[in-house]
Amino acid sequence: MKNKVKFLYALCFTAIVGCKTGDDLYISPNNPLDGNLPALLTASEVNTFQNVEGDLSRMSSIMAQHSVGLNAQYSDVQNYRITQGDFDNVWIGLYANTMYNLKLMIDKANIAGTKSPYYGGMAKVLMALNLSFATDLWGDVPYSEAFQWTTGNKTPKLDTQQDVYKAIDNLLAEGITDLSVGEDENYYLPSDEDLIFKGDNKKWIKAAYTLRARFLNRTSGKVAGTEAKVLEYLSKGISSNAENMIAPHDDVSQNQWGAFQATRRGYMGASNLFVDRLSTKKDPRLAYFLRPNSKKQFIGGDITKESIAPDISVIGPFFASDNNFPIITYYEAKFIEAEVKQRQGGNAAAVLNKAIEANVAYVTDGAESADAVANYAVATKMDILTEKWVALYNQGIEPYNDYRRTGIPALTPRPQSVGATLPIIPKRYPFPQTTTLYNPNAKNIPMDVAVWWGM
C-alpha cells in the first residue's frame, strides 16, 4: 500500500505542470475529476502542500520581511509591483485543482450506502484551510456559488469575507462531527493515502480545533468576546509537536522552499531585519533557518538600498528539500494562547516561553536549548507577536496575516525613492486577470485597502 501511495504522490507532483513566467516550480497536481476517495484525498493533500509552500508563501515572506526579492519576478514583488498576471496559476491551484477536488470528495463521502464520514471530515478541514488562503489574501471571494461551472454558473458571486469566515468555521465544526463517529460508521476508512496523519481521525480533530482557534483569533479585532472560545478550541487542539499537521516530504515529494532555492538560486534571500534579530539575541535557530553567505557570515538584504546586495544568507536546513513543512502546529497554538491571555489582561510570559521552547525543539529537532530566547518574565503584545514572527519564519502566509491584522512587527516599507511602487506594504493581492476578465462580479480592489479583518 505504501508503494502505491508514494507512486500516486509522485504522479500528483509531475502529471500536469503549469508554468508561470520565470517560475517553473509552480506545480499543478492532476485533478482526478471523478476519482475514488483515496485518490481524491491524496491529490487534495498534495495540492494543499503546494498552496501552503509555493508562490503565495514566497511572496508573503517578502511582504512580512522575512525575505527579500533579488531577481526576476521576486524583484518586482520586492518593489510591490504586483500584478493580476501573477496569480492566474495560484488561483487555479486553489479553486480548480484543490477545492473542487475537495467538493467532489465531500459529495462522494456522503453517498447513501457507502457513507464514509472520515473522508468527508478530512475534506472539510482541508476545504476550510484552502478557503482561508483565498479569503485572507483577496478578501471577498467565491464560495457559496463556486464549483458550479459544470452546471453552467461560470460567474459566481463573491461572498463577503465575514460570511466566508462563517463558512470556514462551519466546515471545521462539521468536519469535527464527521471525524468523531465510530469507525464502524464508515464504509471506507482512510489509511496510508492520507499523507498527513495516516488516517488518524483523532489527530485530524485536534488539527481542526487548532485551526478554529487560529481563524477565530484572526477576527478578534472585528468580533468582540472571542477569547474564551479561542481558549476552549485550543484546549481540544494540538497538544505537542508530535501532533503537528505537516506536509511530509522526501526525495520525491520535495519541500517547495528547498526545491525553489536549489533551482532558483539568487532569486530570494533573508532580510536584514530577520537576520539581525536572530544574531543579536544569539538565537539557536539561526543556523537552522538560514545558511551563511559566501564569506560564511549571516547577513540579510537591506530593502532601503536601491540595489540589494545579493551575497546574503538564504534558507537553511530546516527548509531542505526532503524536510517536512509545518501547516498548523503546537507552537503556533501556544503563541495564539499567549496573545489571547495577554489580551485578557494576564501575564502570558510562561505561555510565550513554552511557545518559543516548542518552536526551538521543532526547528532544531531537539538539538538546541531555548534558554537564550525563552526567558520572558513579562510578555507584551509586541513581544508575543514578534516572537511568533520569528518562529513562523517562511511558514506559509501566517506572518503576513498577523502583520496586516496587528501591525506587528514594526515593518518599514521599501522606500519609493529606491524603487517601490507603493508607499505602504500591500494589504491584499489583486485578483487574477482571468478572474476579473471573465467574472463581472470580481472587481479589482486597490492593494492599499485592508481586508475585512485587517487594519
Side-chain angles (χ1 to χ4, degrees):
M1 181 62 181
K2 289 184 178 178
N3 289 335
K4 291 180 181 178
V5 171
K6 190 165 185 177
F7 172 75
L8 180 55
Y9 201 166
L11 181 65
C12 289
F13 265 88
T14 58
I16 298 177
V17 178
C19 294
K20 173 184 171 184
T21 303
D23 184 6
D24 59 13
L25 277 172
Y26 177 80
I27 301 169
S28 176
N30 62 312
N31 186 340
L33 295 178
D34 199 27
N36 58 31
L37 288 171
L40 284 165
L41 178 58
T42 302
S44 297
E45 290 184 346
V46 171
N47 274 292
T48 298
F49 304 160
Q50 170 61 28
N51 297 336
V52 173
E53 302 172 26
D55 210 28
L56 293 177
S57 179
R58 293 191 289 270
M59 293 178 69
S60 297
S61 171
I62 293 172
M63 297 300 103
Q65 294 182 18
H66 278 155
S67 302
V68 297
L70 300 171
N71 200 357
Q73 71 266 34
Y74 295 101
S75 179
D76 286 337
V77 173
Q78 183 62 79
N79 283 315
Y80 312 142
R81 193 177 296 114
I82 301 170
T83 70
Q84 291 183 269
D86 292 323
F87 299 104
D88 286 331
N89 279 338
V90 293
W91 189 265
I92 291 170
L94 279 168
Y95 275 91
N97 292 343
T98 309
M99 287 192 277
Y100 182 62
N101 277 346
L102 292 167
K103 179 186 179 300
L104 292 176
M105 188 172 156
I106 292 167
D107 292 344
K108 282 182 173 294
N110 199 43
I111 293 175
T114 58
K115 285 191 175 183
S116 304
Y118 284 4
Y119 277 104
M122 292 173 191
K124 288 171 184 176
V125 174
L126 291 172
M127 179 74 87
L129 180 64
N130 283 278
L131 183 57
S132 77
F133 301 151
T135 191
D136 287 340
L137 295 173
W138 285 281
D140 299 351
V141 293
Y143 179 66
S144 62
E145 292 185 359
F147 324 120
Q148 296 178 358
W149 53 80
T150 58
T151 56
N153 184 1
K154 298 181 180 179
T155 58
K157 73 174 184 179
L158 272 60
D159 299 308
T160 67
Q161 186 170 55
Q162 188 172 6
D163 285 343
V164 173
Y165 256 84
K166 290 176 182 176
I168 287 171
D169 191 63
N170 287 339
L171 282 164
L172 290 168
E174 291 174 7
I176 290 167
T177 298
D178 290 345
L179 289 159
S180 298
V181 304
E183 285 190 5
D184 58 353
E185 294 186 46
N186 290 266
Y187 191 87
Y188 299 112
L189 284 172
S191 183
D192 283 357
E193 72 275 9
D194 170 19
L195 305 172
I196 298 174
F197 289 130
K198 302 299 182 186
D200 189 332
N201 64 308
K202 291 182 175 59
K203 287 184 178 179
W204 274 99
I205 290 170
K206 289 193 170 191
Y209 271 118
T210 309
L211 286 170
R212 290 187 87 178
R214 172 198 277 183
F215 298 137
L216 186 57
N217 189 54
R218 176 108 78 244
T219 64
S220 61
K222 296 293 182 181
V223 182
T226 62
E227 287 77 16
K229 185 61 71 173
V230 172
L231 293 176
E232 177 192 334
Y233 292 157
L234 290 174
S235 71
K236 299 175 181 178
I238 296 171
S239 58
S240 73
N241 280 333
E243 297 171 345
N244 289 347
M245 185 182 197
I246 54 94
H249 293 298
D250 55 28
D251 56 342
V252 174
S253 56
Q254 293 190 343
N255 178 308
Q256 289 299 289
W257 271 98
F260 178 85
Q261 178 60 32
T263 59
R264 290 290 184 270
R265 193 175 302 277
Y267 277 43
M268 293 178 66
S271 77
N272 62 346
L273 184 67
F274 185 76
V275 176
D276 291 351
R277 165 78 185 196
L278 271 66
S279 297
T280 300
K281 297 196 74 171
K282 294 181 171 51
D283 197 303
R285 294 165 288 189
L286 179 63
Y288 295 84
F289 279 147
L290 301 169
R291 293 185 190 278
N293 69 356
S294 65
K295 298 177 182 177
K296 304 198 181 302
Q297 298 174 319
F298 288 102
I299 295 176
D302 185 353
I303 65 170
T304 68
K305 306 295 184 183
E306 184 171 0
S307 179
I308 303 173
D311 189 17
I312 58 177
S313 296
V314 297
I315 55 171
F318 181 70
F319 298 97
S321 296
D322 60 352
N323 211 33
N324 298 339
F325 191 91
I327 299 174
I328 183 76
T329 62
Y330 172 62
Y331 54 84
E332 183 185 342
K334 298 308 286 185
F335 282 114
I336 295 170
E337 181 184 349
E339 181 186 347
V340 169
K341 288 185 173 178
Q342 190 278 332
R343 195 160 64 237
Q344 289 178 319
N347 182 4
V351 181
L352 174 58
N353 289 333
K354 286 183 180 180
I356 299 169
E357 289 166 1
N359 181 252
V360 171
Y362 186 78
V363 171
T364 71
D365 199 20
E368 305 288 345
S369 168
D371 290 349
V373 286
N375 51 20
Y376 284 88
V378 176
T380 66
K381 181 179 179 180
M382 179 69 74
D383 293 330
I384 294 165
L385 284 156
T386 301
E387 289 290 358
K388 185 181 178 186
W389 173 78
V390 171
L392 269 62
Y393 173 62
N394 285 354
Q395 293 170 41
I397 67 173
E398 279 308 291
Y400 180 43
N401 290 339
D402 280 340
Y403 171 71
R404 292 181 294 149
R405 174 174 67 89
T406 67
I408 301 173
L411 304 179
T412 301
R414 179 162 167 82
Q416 289 182 286
S417 60
V418 299
T421 58
L422 291 174
I424 62 163
I425 296 170
K427 297 182 177 183
R428 65 167 69 226
Y429 292 155
F431 278 121
Q433 193 167 29
T434 50
T435 298
T436 55
L437 184 62
Y438 297 110
N439 187 354
N441 296 315
K443 307 295 184 184
N444 224 14
I445 299 173
M447 288 188 288
D448 61 356
V449 176
V451 297
W452 167 67
W453 51 253
M455 56 178 288

